[in-house]
Amino acid sequence: MHLGMLLEMAADGMADRVALGPLASGLTFAELASRARRLGAALEARPGERVGLIDLNSPAVPLTLFGSAIAGKPFVPINYRLADPQLRAIVARTAPATIIVGEGVVERVGPVDGVEFLSRAEALALAEDPEGKEKDGWGGDADEIAVLLFTSGTTGEPKAAVLRHSNLTEYIISTVEFAGSAEDEAAIVSVPPYHIAGISAVLSSTYSGRRVVQLEAFDPVAWVHIVRQESITHAMVVPTMLGRILDIVEKDGKGLPSLRSLSYGGGPMPLPVIERAVGLLPNVGFVNAYGLTETSSTIAVLGPDDHQAAFASDDPAVRARLASVGKPLPTLEVSIRDAAGVEVPTGERGEISVRGGQVSGEYLGRGTTLDSDGWFPTRDEGHLDEAGYLFVHGRLDDVIVRGGENLSPGEIEAVLLEHPSVLEAAVVGIPNKEWGEQVVAAVVTSGGVTEEDLKAHVRSRLRSSRTPDHIQFREELPFNESGKLLRRVLRTELSEAFT
Amino acid sequence: MSLVTKPGTRYRSAVDQTEIIVVKPAKGPIDLRCGGHPVVAIGTEAPTGLTLDPAFSAGTPLGKRFADTDTGLELLCTKGGTGSLSIGEVILAQKDAKPLPSSD
């Protein structure tokens, strides 16, 4: 299936529903579709094989996503927060292309061979122009590339993940019921357009018929304001966003009365934060989603019922599921494997591998990383429990090898976060002559706790080899704007501090 | 007339507005019909002079899925119509939606 068909179906079946913006003045699905087809006609006629976007959230994001699909060109949303030289390098790799840009981007990037810039205002004008011709049809081949997403590159040169129309539409039609949203539902989108969650938010909302209200970029005050003003019912946040939202809600005591569903993902959520969220937002159903760019977003979900069951249970195994990412989607397979690629017994840790139609596992210019049976090795470490709940322990590349013993930073971080004074925690391995690597931690605390207290806390719950040799107290940890810990940055800083 | 279905292949009814896409293919060739007459691949001409068979006119709603347990076939309706989908004379059952919690 093709992305254009998702929009065609929405425009056919829900023409007069508001798709984008405020209820009183937003664009309907019919208007969104006709504007996307006008922009599609214009983009098809413009130079370049791809359509880039370097901008904040605006109506240009869904219009360009669908417009590029209709034009038959891959959509390439690029991280506007990159430093100028990195941004220029990514733009050069996107050429030949037309790139839609927000304010100040052209000045930052400068001229690049094979790239034509189009301002957001120009793109929106092309989409709105009543004289503009609408491209015939809704786009073609499901095997063509729909979206190229540059990975965040926290561990090296960014790779361009390839998502084909078939990957994204498989994910949507298998997880979302067409027109399944009630007429009063609305989602706030505050994740950036270059994140897979930004892409899947547009597609899921379109197919389910849910109105979208965009925030140009995440800001906790604006987020809370929009949720209240626009009677937002659904939202997706990354862990760092949630804590900041809760601070505001707790302070003003007004709650978020319209909100029904809050999904979180994009990184491990500290248990105390989710416990606090459940306390402050008692009427909200919480959803923990786990997925990767290479898997077209979500591959496992811990739903509201699972959250409630875990909170209500005295059984440690059931309660522990709050720290899981739930069960894999029924339309795909998950297998936990050892280093030799052999499936491990239930309960044992290994590499999370996944197979299914939504899984791409392909990078531009590097080909596929799927094995001969179609499995994608995620490089994430995890295990499945007896009931089939998936637990994610972090990146395999982050595993600390101390004196021949493999230690998972996620396990030690989770224990640190259980301490009432610890707000954020990160554990990395740094080089050590005696052990190969030693365990060091960085924490943000609310005060009143010493390094010895925290070491004793970890030692009482885990083996002594897992107790950090050093703990650094900091004002903040280095996260990227998607809530992903910049481990490489932290490792460098801690190596300098402790060796 | 029998068809070998492939995922992603699109068909339309020869007698009404219904359009479908194959989500999961059938195990073998099937006689896939809509409104009582064999479906045609999108982009090909439908035979003329056919009319909707009243026995197959309950309708195919947009966005609904249809499945056949015997053959494993699964279809998604991409354009609603007045005809009903069937394999031969056996009407295809609409698949119950099991929506997942919204995660994005």
Side-chain angles (χ1 to χ4, degrees):
Chain A
M1 208 164 151
H2 192 274
L3 293 192
M5 281 184 76
L6 300 180
L7 183 60
E8 178 185 14
M9 289 173 71
D12 266 3
M14 301 174 286
D16 298 328
R17 269 200 203 192
V18 176
L20 187 63
L23 207 48
S25 58
L27 288 182
T28 64
F29 281 105
E31 288 165 339
L32 181 71
S34 86
R35 288 183 190 201
R37 288 170 79 176
R38 278 194 214 115
L39 186 57
L43 290 173
E44 186 184 37
R46 289 201 166 244
E49 292 163 17
R50 305 182 181 118
V51 179
L53 179 122
I54 309 172
D55 198 4
L56 304 169
N57 282 319
S58 85
V61 173
L63 286 169
T64 311
L65 169 60
F66 285 120
S68 316
I70 290 166
K73 297 183 179 186
F75 175 54
V76 194
I78 298 168
N79 184 350
Y80 52 80
R81 295 175 200 250
L82 291 171
D84 293 357
Q86 279 84 13
L87 186 61
R88 204 171 299 126
I90 298 272
V91 167
R93 286 171 64 186
T94 306
T98 291
I99 300 187
I100 293 166
V101 290
E103 274 177 33
V105 172
V106 174
E107 293 77 0
R108 288 177 58 200
V109 176
V112 176
D113 279 349
V115 171
E116 273 204 13
F117 294 108
L118 191 65
S119 73
R120 181 207 291 186
E122 287 169 321
L124 290 174
L126 287 168
E128 282 165 35
D129 179 10
E131 307 287 305
K133 139 177 140 21
E134 289 185 22
K135 171 131 170 65
D136 290 335
W138 296 90
D141 190 346
D143 292 329
E144 284 184 352
I145 297 173
V147 177
L148 290 172
L149 284 179
F150 284 92
T151 56
S152 52
T154 51
T155 52
E157 173 80 2
K159 294 178 283 189
V162 172
L163 296 173
R164 297 181 184 274
H165 288 273
S166 55
N167 300 132
L168 289 163
T169 56
E170 167 85 17
Y171 168 65
I172 295 299
I173 67 168
S174 64
T175 60
V176 182
E177 191 193 347
F178 178 72
S181 291
E183 294 249 11
D184 67 340
E185 287 184 17
I188 183 168
V189 173
S190 58
V191 287
Y194 54 82
H195 192 286
I196 181 62
I199 304 290
S200 58
V202 171
L203 301 178
S204 292
S205 301
T206 300
Y207 197 66
S208 73
R210 186 178 291 139
R211 178 168 67 100
V212 164
V213 180
Q214 298 172 304
L215 206 53
E216 272 206 328
F218 179 74
D219 170 82
V221 175
W223 192 95
V224 169
H225 174 72
I226 295 279
V227 167
R228 289 173 179 161
Q229 187 188 34
E230 287 289 332
S231 297
I232 297 295
T233 57
H234 288 68
M236 188 271 167
V237 294
V238 299
T240 42
M241 293 178 182
L242 184 56
R244 295 169 69 191
I245 290 164
L246 294 176
D247 288 344
I248 293 170
V249 173
E250 190 169 48
K251 207 169 171 186
D252 74 14
K254 291 182 189 158
L256 299 169
S258 59
L259 197 64
R260 293 175 209 162
S261 168
L262 187 62
S263 151
Y264 58 95
M269 176 71 85
L271 208 50
V273 176
I274 198 67
E275 284 172 340
R276 189 170 159 231
V278 171
L280 284 167
L281 305 169
N283 300 318
V284 171
F286 289 89
V287 178
N288 183 6
Y290 163 66
L292 297 91
T293 302
E294 295 89 336
T295 60
S296 308
S297 191
T298 305
I299 55 175
V301 178
L302 186 79
D305 298 345
D306 295 315
H307 278 82
Q308 278 177 5
F311 266 113
S313 180
D314 296 330
D315 180 347
V318 176
R319 190 140 179 108
R321 285 180 195 146
L322 267 186
S324 80
V325 295
K327 290 188 177 174
L329 302 185
T331 45
L332 48 75
E333 299 165 272
V334 164
S335 169
I336 311 293
R337 299 173 168 204
D338 65 16
V342 178
E343 189 164 85
V344 300
T346 300
E348 278 187 28
R349 290 177 178 216
E351 180 172 15
I352 300 171
S353 294
V354 58
R355 179 165 77 172
Q358 72 182 71
V359 178
S360 141
E362 181 188 351
Y363 302 100
L364 197 67
R366 301 181 187 217
T368 182
T369 56
L370 305 187
D371 73 11
S372 53
D373 294 320
W375 290 92
F376 171 58
T378 62
R379 300 302 295 153
D380 276 342
E381 188 188 37
H383 78 269
L384 286 162
D385 75 5
E386 293 291 340
Y389 287 81
L390 178 65
F391 291 74
V392 182
H393 303 292
R395 300 296 287 169
L396 275 169
D397 308 304
D398 297 331
V399 165
I400 302 163
V401 185
R402 180 186 188 275
E405 189 184 0
N406 285 354
L407 309 177
S408 162
E411 182 183 34
I412 305 167
E413 288 162 6
V415 167
L416 282 167
L417 285 164
E418 281 171 20
H419 191 284
S421 301
V422 175
L423 305 174
E424 290 172 10
V427 171
V428 297
I430 62 170
N432 178 271
K433 276 183 189 152
E434 189 180 355
W435 297 100
E437 278 188 306
Q438 64 175 343
V439 180
V440 294
V443 294
V444 178
T445 73
S446 53
V449 65
T450 67
E451 181 169 354
E452 276 317 307
D453 294 339
L454 290 180
K455 284 183 182 174
H457 169 82
V458 176
R459 202 176 297 116
S460 69
R461 285 160 179 80
L462 298 172
R463 267 177 264 171
S464 63
S465 63
R466 297 177 190 202
T467 303
D469 294 304
H470 302 284
I471 300 179
Q472 186 183 66
F473 287 69
R474 302 167 59 113
E475 288 294 313
E476 57 180 17
L477 297 181
F479 287 105
N480 75 8
E481 68 290 344
S482 315
K484 215 176 255 184
L485 181 70
L486 297 170
R487 269 181 207 278
R488 209 168 41 147
V489 172
L490 189 66
R491 194 176 293 125
T492 307
E493 292 176 9
L494 293 177
S495 296
E496 281 166 8
F498 295 119
T499 48
Chain B
M1 197 178 114
S2 65
L3 293 173
V4 176
T5 48
K6 278 191 247 164
T9 309
R10 296 170 63 193
Y11 297 100
R12 66 187 176 91
S13 169
V15 290
D16 67 279
Q17 298 298 309
T18 304
E19 288 186 12
I20 50 171
I21 187 164
V22 177
V23 177
K24 284 185 193 139
K27 272 176 268 177
I30 49 165
D31 176 17
L32 183 62
R33 303 180 189 177
C34 185
H37 300 281
V39 296
V40 293
I42 296 268
T44 57
E45 285 291 313
T48 51
L50 301 176
T51 53
L52 182 69
D53 181 339
F56 299 93
S57 63
T60 301
L62 172 65
K64 295 296 179 193
R65 287 170 177 245
F66 296 84
D68 178 55
T69 40
D70 288 348
T71 60
L73 177 72
E74 192 173 318
L75 305 170
L76 171 71
C77 172
T78 56
K79 201 178 268 294
T82 48
S84 302
L85 295 165
S86 64
I87 295 180
E89 303 271 300
V90 182
I91 288 184
L92 283 179
Q94 192 174 313
K95 205 181 161 196
D96 288 336
K98 278 183 228 148
L100 289 157
S102 172
S103 63
D104 33 47

